[in-house]
Amino acid sequence: VAELASSRPGDYEGGCVWLIDGSATYAEFFSSHFNRANLLIEIRSREEVGEYFGYSMAMADVDGDGRSDLLVGAPLYSAVAFHDEHRQQYDAGRVYVFSAQQLAVLIEEHRSTGKVTVLSSSTADS
């Protein structure tokens, strides 16, 4: 079953992305209260407040393994080099890449524990 991706770029400080079981419609997932029965994974960003994680999303086979990977854009991410105040790049943007293999692990973890994936500088690939 194909997945449906949805996002809320301003939620949870940095933004949020959901992968939803493709058997559910968008309306079913968001009807009345947030229906988590069809939720495959929830990824929240705490990399940077206001980065708008999830503003754009795409699926593509980035690593050439024949499976679609998830690309998530954060257009207001600011790259700040703390060791050099002259290299600050405000609202430079960032693309997060989640491989199909990485998503499979996160989905299985969510199914077994209900864990929400929260990105920090130690968990994100860029």
Side-chain angles (χ1 to χ4, degrees), residues 20-81:
I20 306 159
D21 184 320
S23 64
T25 65
Y26 186 83
E28 289 171 334
F29 183 68
F30 288 103
S31 64
S32 94
H33 297 293
F34 194 66
N35 181 0
R36 293 188 171 270
N38 296 317
L39 181 65
L40 296 175
I41 189 171
E42 179 175 351
I43 305 171
R44 297 178 188 173
S45 176
R46 295 248 168 82
E47 280 283 301
E48 183 173 282
V49 173
E51 71 175 311
Y52 270 65
F53 174 80
Y55 184 82
S56 57
M57 294 185 293
M59 300 289 286
D61 183 9
V62 176
D63 56 12
D65 67 355
R67 299 181 297 170
S68 292
D69 306 308
L70 176 65
L71 291 83
V72 180
L76 299 181
Y77 178 86
S78 296
V80 179

Side-chain angles (χ1 to χ4, degrees), residues 3 9 11-12 25 33 41 44 46 66 73 87 100 118 120-122:
E3 290 86 20
D11 277 5
Y12 307 107
T25 65
H33 297 293
I41 189 171
R44 297 178 188 173
R46 295 248 168 82
R87 293 184 55 212
V118 179
S120 65
S121 57
S122 63

Side-chain angles (χ1 to χ4, degrees), residues 58-105:
M59 300 289 286
D61 183 9
V62 176
D63 56 12
D65 67 355
R67 299 181 297 170
S68 292
D69 306 308
L70 176 65
L71 291 83
V72 180
L76 299 181
Y77 178 86
S78 296
V80 179
F82 292 103
H83 62 277
D84 184 355
E85 62 187 50
H86 301 290
R87 293 184 55 212
Q88 297 178 356
Q89 297 175 340
Y90 295 101
D91 300 340
R94 183 177 207 177
V95 175
Y96 295 82
V97 178
F98 299 92
S99 70
Q101 180 180 358
Q102 183 182 18
L103 288 173
V105 169

